[in-house]
Amino acid sequence: MDAPLATPCNIQICEVTCDSFRIMWDMPPEDTARATHFFIDLSRKESRDPNRFKHRDVPTKLVAKAVPLPMAVRGHWFLSPRTDYCVAVQTAVRQPDGDYLVSEWSPVVEFCTGDYAMEHLQQLLDKANGSAGRLLRFSVFYRNQHPEYFDYVRRECGGLMRPALKDSSGSHGSPINGKLHGVFFSCNTEFDTGLPPKDSPYGPLRFQIPAGHLLNPNICLYFADFYCMYTAYHYVVLVLAPVGTEGDDFCRTRLPRLDLASNPFLTYTPPQRQGEEPVFCHASDVILEVLFTEPVDLNQGSVEQITGHHQLMSLTTANAKKDPSCKVCNISVGR
């Protein structure tokens, strides 16, 4: 009768990305020599079933031929970014009759997958390029809020709209979610007037600032996300970070940088002749959400009542979840 296999111990997870990881563990040399297969039990932390499967009963779990450790695990369960997982392992020896001699399950180890890497954001950017539409001129960035917000800014912040932490809306793996601070602005205009829309779900007061204050040659422009919320229209999230600032440093290694003068979403064209003004354009077929990473002074613009209706807050994108089934804005990473 074959000697039993030792229980794997000292489970270690390394080289974690948004859709892969490597796993290794300790086992006696004699087990290393005998093992023909490894069984990997992986599940999301929040939905873990305490009754762990037996390898023959649940064929959706990974059964891998024994390889030198650490072993790479990638895409077998369509790993999602920024998600907590639980993992346990068994070692096994396949018998001549096709059955397996297996060890006990190892202790369960928890880990969290990472953000989208630059390559994934480039995939998302390529998809967004196809949805941007033609470029339309605009002249102001704007931000709608309730009167209480602007009262607070004047009273407690010396008139400065200070950056706030980006929420979890949009793609789950976007590197800026919950990590980058900024002040959100819009710049989309109506087709018939060329002006900002009359309505807004964010509040009845609108701060408007000349576009050149936020978009100029001293600003770096980054692509951060492309998503929808179970609707026909799509959102593109862009970051404007003054050169050399903390926000610029954060984005430089995490987000694709866009050419200010030549990109499908938001452009700045410098004056061609003396006395001319710069030209600013925005994409017509997506809704732009523009995150400016530094404080913005109310004195640089004006606050006015919108002429249309203040819409329901349910129409906002605050903490909105991305439609995982949309073929237009999803990439082949996670679910």
Side-chain angles (χ1 to χ4, degrees):
M1 184 174 179
D2 291 335
L5 293 161
T7 303
C9 61
N10 192 26
I11 311 298
Q12 297 179 55
I13 306 293
C14 61
E15 297 182 35
V16 179
T17 72
C18 68
D19 66 342
S20 68
F21 64 94
R22 287 183 177 271
I23 184 170
M24 61 186 300
W25 57 89
D26 292 341
M27 53 183 173
E30 57 269 26
D31 286 3
T32 302
R34 296 168 59 201
T36 61
H37 291 78
F38 300 144
F39 302 142
I40 311 294
D41 176 11
L42 179 74
S43 62
R44 290 176 185 251
K45 181 179 177 182
E46 64 270 20
S47 61
R48 185 171 181 82
D49 185 347
N51 298 315
R52 223 176 359 254
F53 76 100
K54 296 187 183 302
H55 69 272
R56 286 175 297 181
D57 300 333
V58 185
T60 56
K61 303 300 181 181
L62 176 64
V63 179
K65 287 186 177 181
V67 295
L69 300 177
M71 183 179 78
V73 179
R74 181 182 180 90
H76 296 284
W77 297 271
F78 302 101
L79 287 162
S80 297
R82 286 196 179 191
T83 302
D84 292 317
Y85 287 96
C86 300
V87 64
V89 299
Q90 278 182 319
T91 57
V93 178
R94 186 167 185 175
Q95 306 294 293
D97 61 1
D99 203 355
Y100 290 91
L101 172 69
V102 297
S103 71
E104 294 294 323
W105 282 105
S106 73
V108 174
V109 172
E110 298 177 0
F111 70 100
C112 183
T113 47
D115 299 333
Y116 282 159
M118 193 74 81
E119 63 185 284
H120 304 120
L121 286 165
Q122 188 61 51
Q123 290 181 45
L124 208 55
L125 172 57
D126 292 343
K127 280 183 165 281
N129 285 343
S131 298
R134 64 192 179 97
L135 290 170
L136 301 177
R137 289 194 179 196
F138 76 101
S139 59
V140 296
F141 287 98
Y142 55 92
R143 174 176 173 83
N144 275 73
Q145 282 288 348
H146 290 273
E148 295 79 10
Y149 170 81
F150 291 112
D151 289 344
Y152 175 82
V153 168
R154 293 187 183 98
R155 185 179 66 253
E156 303 293 338
C157 304
L160 289 179
M161 293 187 289
R162 299 190 183 279
L165 192 63
K166 168 70 171 67
D167 65 11
S168 61
S169 60
S171 300
H172 195 50
S174 176
I176 70 172
N177 288 354
K179 294 184 179 180
L180 183 64
H181 289 76
V183 183
F184 263 116
F185 288 91
S186 301
C187 63
N188 289 82
T189 57
E190 294 183 324
F191 285 102
D192 54 346
T193 66
L195 299 174
K198 297 177 181 178
D199 303 320
S200 173
Y202 294 98
L205 293 184
R206 175 173 292 162
F207 171 75
Q208 292 192 168
I209 183 171
H213 284 297
L214 306 187
L215 186 60
N216 58 64
N218 298 315
I219 300 294
C220 291
L221 172 63
Y222 296 94
F223 170 84
D225 203 0
F226 177 49
Y227 72 99
C228 71
M229 303 183 299
Y230 304 89
T231 55
Y233 46 88
H234 283 79
Y235 296 84
V236 169
V237 181
L238 303 174
V239 178
L240 294 177
V243 176
T245 60
E246 185 176 340
D248 184 29
D249 291 342
F250 176 92
C251 295
R252 189 179 301 119
T253 57
R254 294 175 174 87
L255 304 178
R257 184 173 173 179
L258 304 178
D259 187 330
L260 282 182
S262 179
N263 73 81
F265 313 114
L266 185 68
T267 61
Y268 164 89
T269 304
Q272 302 302 302
R273 299 181 184 85
Q274 188 173 0
E276 289 186 349
E277 294 294 324
V279 175
F280 306 94
C281 292
H282 70 81
S284 60
D285 293 349
V286 291
I287 299 174
L288 298 182
E289 297 183 311
V290 181
L291 189 70
F292 191 77
T293 61
E294 293 296 302
V296 177
D297 195 327
L298 290 179
N299 290 328
Q300 291 182 302
S302 60
V303 178
E304 298 176 358
Q305 182 92 20
I306 59 174
T307 58
H309 299 289
H310 167 51
Q311 300 166 323
L312 294 175
M313 279 298 292
S314 60
L315 298 176
T316 72
T317 60
N319 291 305
K321 300 305 178 187
K322 180 174 183 174
D323 177 2
S325 64
C326 178
K327 292 182 172 58
V328 174
C329 62
N330 280 283
I331 57 176
S332 58
V333 176
R335 282 184 174 174

